[in-house]
Amino acid sequence: MSEHLGTPPEGENTSGKPAGANVSGGGSSGLSIGMRPAEAPGANLTPEEIARRASGRGTWHRRASKPVSHWMFTLIAVLLLHKFIPNSGWLMVHIVTLGLITNSILIWSQHFTEALMKIKIPDEHRGTQVRRIFILNAGILVLMIGMVGQLSVPGLYAATVVGALIVGSMVAWHGIYLLKQVRQALPSRFGVTIRFYIIAALMLPLGAAFGGMIAYPNLSGTLHSQFLLAHEAVNVLGFVGITAVGTLVTFWPTMLRTKMVDKALTHSLRALYLMCGGLVLTLVGAIFGMRPLAAAGLVVYLVGLLIVAWVMVRTLQTKRPNEYPPMSVGMGFLWLIVGVAATAYMVATTPFAQLDMRAVTPIFVVGFLLQLLLGAMSYLLPQRMGGGPAVVRASNKEFSRFAAARVTAVNLALIIFMMPGSVVGQSIKIAVAIVGALALMAFIPLMVRGVKASVNTRKEMMAARARGEKPVFNQEALTPEPVPHAKQSFQAALAVAMAFLLGFAVNPSALNLPSFSSAGSVAATGQTTTVKVKATSNYRFTPAEVEVPAGNRLVVEVTNDDQGMTHDLTFDNGATTGTINPGETKTVDAGIITADQEGYCSVAGHRSLGMVFKVKATGASANQVAQGDHATHNHAASGSTPTLMTVANSKIDMSAAPGSGYKYRDPNIPAPNTAEQVNGKTVRKVTLDVQEVDREVAPGVTVHMWTFNGQNMAPILRGKVGDIFEITLVNNGTMGHSLDFHAGMVSPDNTMKTIAPGERLVYRFEAKAAGIWLYHCGTAPLSLHMTQGMYGAVIIDPADLDPVDHEYVMVQGEAYLHDTGKTASDGNKLAENSPELIAAGTPTLTMFNGHATQYKAKPLQVKKGERIRIWVMAAGPNHGTSFHVVGSQFDTVYKEGGYLMRRGADAFGSRDGHSQALDLAPAQGGFVEMQFLESGTYVFVNHSFSEMERGAAGKIVVTDR
């Protein structure tokens, strides 16, 4: 039999004998015992052909569905990295609505149109459909780039408009294509539902237009709220809702594996007409600011949904759901009803000026859209992969694993997440949301398992068929093994409960239970006070103070109006908004207010600049106010001065070498930065990348630094007078940063502005004068940013610089540290610079080139008689230097762009003098030259000896020639 596995394809029998030669030696039928006829399908399949057919890689569904998979993984990535992505909330919502849902609708509405209208389109004619989907995704990408980027680059609004135009055009094209197919097909009982697909598809361009309008930065008055309502009504309730209901007419009983109930189609069509009419009313009411009309339209739409729900419940009475698809889709439809009802109530009771559609966003995105999508895909993917009942059963089994647990976890978590802030606080909501998100993400590994099960089962069947084996009867097909749904639901509920308790443990005030909360003698009122606050560019909250009735829960919505800096709002009880990127709005639940409190921006240094938010509890007794001032106030976080680390109290060994992982800074002056000639000018391009890293500053002491290019003390740049420096600042940090180059003479307005995380800025200047020039971060508080390592020097060589044997550079910096009580990743004590200690003015360490002992452990090496030049910069931020080399004298002193002495000669012609110290105030620089007459070990120091004892010292070892 093995000789027949490699036979030529059908119609290419070259042996001259029948393909199924009789191995028994008798008969003339041309058949082999136990073998399939050669002309029978599957008789002569090679293993390679079996694998190709089993994988189904050639189907247009597989090609068209690729973007959906990519968007799933993108959503997870953005969810994990959302703190670092501008406008991340909008981005995540639209990855779902555009990336996942819109792509899926284009694919599956085409599928259902063909199925219901009995249309057969060959795969070779699918090219246009696939191209349309890929153009759609290009438009989605352009739209997202525009929306995420236009906060920092206003010109990107054009990309938003172009992206919306592409998306709307592709979906409209899809609707027109469906209409063409319906007109060409024979009449069908369910053909009328396809017309609602077409209506829904033609709605999306209108929704995209509203989306482009609400993205316009200068949209004034209540138009933003009105157009946002119109945008969400048309896209979510129209494009998605009507498509979904039109599909559920036949899809719901199909998933339940039962028949349609009597008059299901008639009732569903009535519901669809009501939904379309309600949408028209809502749209007109939103556009013209007529809230009662908009609310009435939503009520009409809701009535249509309830009719469909009645049909679905009747169907459930004939067959209960036993798999994930109907469970998930059913719960998704239920959340659609809840979301529409909640929106109708909000529109009816809330003026457009105060209408915030974000309150129902989780209901529509997680409750409705994601559950509908994952449920539908869990049913459709196995069906489309096909392969026969056994193959589909194997795949279905994987897609429906832990069905009840997944559905229970998602919906319980969403219920808790949607509870009022007066009942459940932020820490609990975040904890349960993580459980719900994991339950949703379980779809991805189960999808992979389902695809593998389909392919492997199909391979086994094809191989068996090729071997001529009879199909094996599978008893499970008739009597499936019972699934313990109740047990799974209980386990999921237990997981959500554990998450709930974890959130409560993190912040007990997050649960409004007087017997457990920290409300003291003030009874919780059950009321919530919600206030809107802006974080501004002058390091203030506006308003800076609010009054809250004692016993009320306080919820603060904070909008970051500072276009160059991240902020947050943090309270002493641990409640915080988390990082708020420019233009973003985030909410913090401060808990039950029982006494006066103070919130603040926890970004380093911002509190010391006055960025505080005061909460005054009205109606609280004097004793309760005192409790708020003393008993519940966290003085460690309040801005009071922490204890200064000193060499003595921290037992820093100033004679020890740096740790084994420390990378020494080369003291030799670097060569000039790489240059190119542009229009006759020498242009030196440098990139400074903001990185937040741990760096050792003294033996046993590490600080989490904000750096340029990962170094405590930024790179030394070098050039000549007349050179153009083009510096690109890339902010990969978590807060705003900027640049200030003393070597350039430029307007600070644009070049020195603070840029937000993820942004970049080009700082261009011409070096017009010689000297060593300070550069540093210019973002407030400047002193903190500099002590955090964000300073460096630019050396512009004087034209007639004398030759020397060695040339070094020493930049003096300072650290004002307190012990965090933590251990750094390198095993050192983790310390932190303190704005209050900087203001007090006494540093923990004063150091050259970023470390207090590196040049004691690894001295500079010269030979007797050699001439050396040492460039010196006092970076500060508070102290200067008196640079001195013990045992030597300077015959050349250059300070702030000019010579005080050159080879022993001063400005008055005297040649019998030398200098003992170069005195520099903060931000001043120069150089000294000397020769060593004897071999030995010399020490260079800041002759302000208290600074020397804090680390401003190093060694020069001079050897004989």
Side-chain angles (χ1 to χ4, degrees):
M1 199 168 139
S2 59
E3 66 187 24
H4 296 286
L5 292 178
T7 56
E10 294 181 34
E12 295 185 20
N13 184 0
T14 60
S15 67
K17 299 179 181 180
N22 189 341
V23 297
S24 66
S28 59
S29 64
L31 295 176
S32 300
I33 296 175
M35 294 186 62
R36 297 172 62 82
E39 64 274 13
N44 298 314
L45 295 180
T46 64
E48 293 78 11
E49 179 66 11
I50 290 172
R52 188 191 70 80
R53 294 193 183 187
S55 68
R57 292 190 183 94
T59 65
W60 85 274
H61 290 85
R62 289 284 296 271
R63 302 197 305 274
S65 297
K66 284 182 180 179
V68 178
S69 302
H70 296 323
W71 285 118
M72 281 185 181
F73 290 108
T74 302
L75 178 62
I76 294 173
V78 173
L79 184 64
L80 295 175
L81 302 173
H82 70 277
K83 288 187 176 182
F84 310 104
I85 301 174
N87 214 358
S88 58
W90 180 95
L91 183 60
M92 286 188 284
V93 168
H94 286 78
I95 287 175
V96 174
T97 56
L98 293 177
L100 298 178
I101 300 296
T102 303
N103 274 287
S104 297
I105 285 178
L106 262 64
I107 296 166
W108 296 110
S109 60
Q110 175 62 44
H111 166 77
F112 283 113
T113 297
E114 295 177 24
L116 296 175
M117 301 301 295
K118 311 297 183 183
I119 300 171
K120 176 61 178 177
I121 299 178
D123 277 357
E124 57 266 23
H125 296 162
R126 301 287 189 178
T128 300
Q129 295 174 354
V130 175
R131 282 193 295 272
R132 180 164 55 239
I133 287 173
F134 278 88
I135 296 172
L136 167 72
N137 284 276
I140 294 172
L141 280 174
V142 172
L143 171 61
M144 290 180 174
I145 291 170
M147 279 299 298
V148 171
Q150 73 180 60
L151 292 175
S152 53
V153 184
L156 282 178
Y157 174 68
T160 304
V161 174
V162 170
L165 181 62
I166 295 172
V167 170
S169 299
M170 291 303 102
V171 177
W173 182 12
H174 171 72
I176 294 169
Y177 184 67
L178 293 182
L179 179 61
K180 181 180 178 181
Q181 293 176 71
V182 170
R183 287 180 173 176
Q184 293 176 347
L186 295 173
S188 168
R189 177 188 176 193
F190 300 105
V192 66
T193 61
I194 307 303
R195 299 188 183 276
F196 286 99
Y197 288 174
I198 298 167
I199 293 171
L202 296 179
M203 285 182 180
L204 190 124
L206 181 59
F210 283 117
M213 286 188 279
I214 60 178
Y216 183 62
N218 299 320
L219 193 63
S220 60
T222 63
L223 288 179
H224 185 276
S225 295
Q226 293 172 231
F227 290 170
L228 180 59
L229 174 60
H231 170 70
E232 295 196 4
V234 172
N235 285 357
V236 177
L237 305 185
F239 175 59
V240 182
I242 289 177
T243 301
V245 171
T247 302
L248 286 174
V249 173
T250 55
F251 192 46
W252 180 245
T254 302
M255 285 190 296
L256 290 171
R257 308 183 193 284
T258 187
K259 64 180 182 178
M260 293 176 62
V261 296
D262 187 40
K263 297 185 178 180
L265 180 59
T266 301
H267 294 309
S268 297
L269 290 177
R270 289 174 181 170
L272 285 166
Y273 285 118
L274 280 172
M275 292 166 64
C276 290
L279 273 178
V280 172
L281 294 177
T282 301
L283 185 59
V284 172
I287 293 173
F288 295 102
M290 303 163 65
R291 284 193 304 108
L293 183 62
L298 290 168
V299 171
V300 172
Y301 187 97
L302 180 61
V303 171
L305 288 180
L306 292 174
I307 293 173
V308 176
W310 175 65
V311 174
M312 293 173 68
V313 170
R314 288 175 57 207
T315 309
L316 280 174
Q317 292 173 345
T318 66
K319 181 75 175 292
R320 296 294 180 88
N322 195 47
E323 295 176 308
Y324 179 76
M327 291 181 186
S328 185
V329 170
M331 291 306 302
F333 189 80
L334 181 59
W335 280 109
L336 174 61
I337 294 173
V338 173
V340 173
T343 305
Y345 176 78
M346 286 170 50
V347 173
T349 59
T350 309
F352 276 120
Q354 301 172 16
L355 185 63
D356 187 357
M357 294 297 294
R358 289 175 301 176
V360 293
T361 297
I363 292 176
F364 286 120
V365 174
V366 178
F368 170 47
L369 295 176
L370 281 177
Q371 291 201 99
L372 179 77
L373 173 69
L374 299 184
M377 289 181 68
S378 295
Y379 182 86
L380 291 168
L381 289 179
Q383 298 295 326
R384 283 308 308 162
M385 288 186 289
V391 175
V392 173
R393 278 196 303 272
S395 185
N396 278 339
K397 185 175 180 180
E398 298 301 332
F399 274 95
S400 286
R401 281 190 184 275
F402 317 114
R406 291 154 62 194
V407 173
T408 301
V410 170
N411 290 280
L412 272 182
L414 185 55
I415 289 170
I416 295 171
F417 190 85
M418 293 307 300
M419 285 183 177
S422 59
V423 178
V424 177
Q426 190 176 37
S427 63
I428 293 176
K429 290 184 177 184
I430 291 173
V432 299
I434 292 173
V435 175
L438 291 174
L440 288 171
M441 287 189 287
F443 172 81
I444 295 177
L446 293 176
M447 176 181 67
V448 174
R449 288 176 61 94
V451 172
K452 286 184 177 180
S454 174
V455 173
N456 291 338
T457 305
R458 199 177 324 188
K459 282 182 180 179
E460 292 171 5
M461 293 177 63
M462 288 183 177
R465 181 181 301 170
R467 294 191 300 268
E469 297 176 3
K470 294 182 179 181
V472 179
F473 175 72
N474 184 0
Q475 181 64 34
E476 189 179 351
L478 295 178
T479 56
E481 182 181 348
V483 180
H485 292 311
K487 180 180 178 181
Q488 290 182 4
S489 292
F490 174 76
Q491 292 170 338
L494 188 61
V496 174
M498 292 177 66
F500 187 100
L501 292 174
L502 179 62
F504 173 74
V506 170
N507 180 18
S509 67
L511 184 61
N512 187 9
L513 295 177
S515 59
F516 292 96
S517 71
S518 57
S521 60
V522 175
T525 64
Q527 302 295 314
T528 298
T529 299
T530 301
V531 296
K532 294 184 178 182
V533 174
K534 292 182 178 180
T536 61
S537 58
N538 60 345
Y539 300 93
R540 292 292 183 271
F541 290 112
T542 304
E545 181 175 324
V546 296
E547 292 185 350
V548 180
N552 275 22
R553 181 177 293 276
L554 173 62
V555 175
V556 187
E557 295 180 4
V558 186
T559 299
N560 186 1
D561 272 4
D562 187 346
Q563 293 304 307
M565 177 65 71
T566 56
H567 294 290
D568 65 27
L569 176 58
T570 299
F571 290 90
D572 286 338
N573 63 2
T576 180
T577 59
T579 301
I580 313 175
N581 292 315
E584 279 191 332
T585 298
K586 289 190 176 181
T587 300
V588 57
D589 182 346
I592 306 296
I593 302 301
T594 62
D596 292 354
Q597 291 191 28
E598 183 176 274
Y600 54 92
C601 179
S602 69
V603 176
H606 289 195
R607 188 175 192 177
S608 65
L609 292 172
M611 199 164 187
V612 296
F613 177 72
K614 295 182 178 180
V615 179
K616 184 175 179 59
T618 59
S621 67
N623 180 57
Q624 291 157 358
V625 171
Q627 288 177 355
D629 286 341
H630 300 287
T632 64
H633 195 60
N634 181 353
H635 291 278
S638 67
S640 58
T641 304
T643 301
L644 175 72
M645 285 179 63
T646 66
V647 172
N649 68 20
S650 300
K651 299 180 180 180
I652 302 173
D653 186 352
M654 299 302 286
S655 62
S660 58
Y662 179 76
K663 184 178 180 181
Y664 284 79
R665 291 295 294 268
D666 187 355
N668 291 283
I669 189 171
N673 296 96
T674 303
E676 58 184 69
Q677 296 298 313
V678 180
N679 298 325
K681 288 282 189 178
T682 299
V683 179
R684 304 187 187 276
K685 296 183 178 181
V686 178
T687 297
L688 295 179
D689 182 9
V690 174
Q691 301 175 19
E692 298 181 3
V693 293
D694 289 351
R695 288 291 178 262
E696 182 179 290
V697 294
V701 181
T702 292
V703 178
H704 187 67
M705 312 293 288
W706 314 332
T707 70
F708 295 124
N709 292 3
Q711 300 172 305
N712 177 26
M713 191 195 82
I716 302 296
L717 310 184
R718 189 179 179 192
K720 296 181 179 180
V721 174
D723 288 354
I724 303 295
F725 282 81
E726 187 174 293
I727 313 297
T728 300
L729 174 64
V730 181
N731 189 355
N732 286 318
T734 60
M735 66 190 75
H737 293 290
S738 60
L739 284 173
D740 179 359
F741 277 89
H742 294 197
M745 291 188 284
V746 296
S747 170
D749 294 346
N750 293 318
T751 54
M752 300 183 192
K753 69 178 182 180
T754 296
I755 61 171
E759 296 183 355
R760 60 176 56 213
L761 174 146
V762 176
Y763 191 126
R764 187 181 174 93
F765 66 89
E766 181 178 353
K768 292 185 177 295
I772 179 169
W773 304 90
L774 179 67
Y775 74 88
H776 57 88
C777 179
T779 299
L782 278 75
S783 57
L784 179 60
H785 283 247
M786 290 186 66
T787 56
Q788 282 288 103
M790 306 192 86
Y791 64 91
V794 181
I795 296 175
I796 305 300
D797 292 337
D800 56 350
L801 201 59
D802 295 322
V804 293
D805 296 299
H806 299 281
E807 194 168 12
Y808 304 106
V809 58
M810 295 290 158
V811 180
Q812 180 181 288
E814 302 155 16
Y816 298 79
L817 304 176
H818 71 93
D819 191 347
T820 66
K822 301 176 182 178
T823 301
S825 57
D826 57 6
N828 287 345
K829 183 182 300 181
L830 183 64
E832 187 175 78
N833 281 295
S834 162
E836 293 77 23
L837 294 174
I838 295 171
T842 301
T844 302
L845 300 169
T846 305
M847 49 202 163
F848 290 121
N849 294 355
H851 196 283
T853 67
Q854 60 181 327
Y855 300 125
K856 294 178 185 177
K858 193 172 183 178
L860 283 58
Q861 301 284 336
V862 301
K863 294 179 179 179
K864 185 172 66 177
E866 287 184 329
R867 173 170 289 276
I868 72 168
R869 175 183 299 123
I870 302 179
W871 289 85
V872 184
M873 164 63 66
N878 290 338
H879 299 282
T881 189
S882 175
F883 187 80
H884 171 72
V885 177
V886 178
S888 186
Q889 299 174 359
F890 310 142
D891 65 4
T892 300
V893 179
Y894 181 94
K895 178 181 178 182
E896 285 295 282
Y899 287 94
L900 302 181
M901 180 180 297
R902 189 171 188 180
R903 299 294 172 94
D906 63 15
F908 302 100
S910 174
R911 292 184 172 273
D912 58 356
H914 279 179
S915 172
Q916 57 194 309
L918 172 61
D919 60 317
L920 300 170
Q924 288 190 323
F927 66 76
V928 294
E929 294 179 8
M930 70 207 84
Q931 288 178 295
F932 298 98
L933 304 182
E934 299 179 2
S935 59
T937 299
Y938 296 75
V939 179
F940 59 90
V941 300
N942 179 340
H943 212 280
S944 174
F945 282 152
S946 61
E947 308 298 341
M948 177 196 73
E949 290 162 355
R950 296 185 184 109
K955 296 178 180 179
I956 304 173
V957 173
V958 180
T959 58
D960 292 325
R961 290 182 178 274

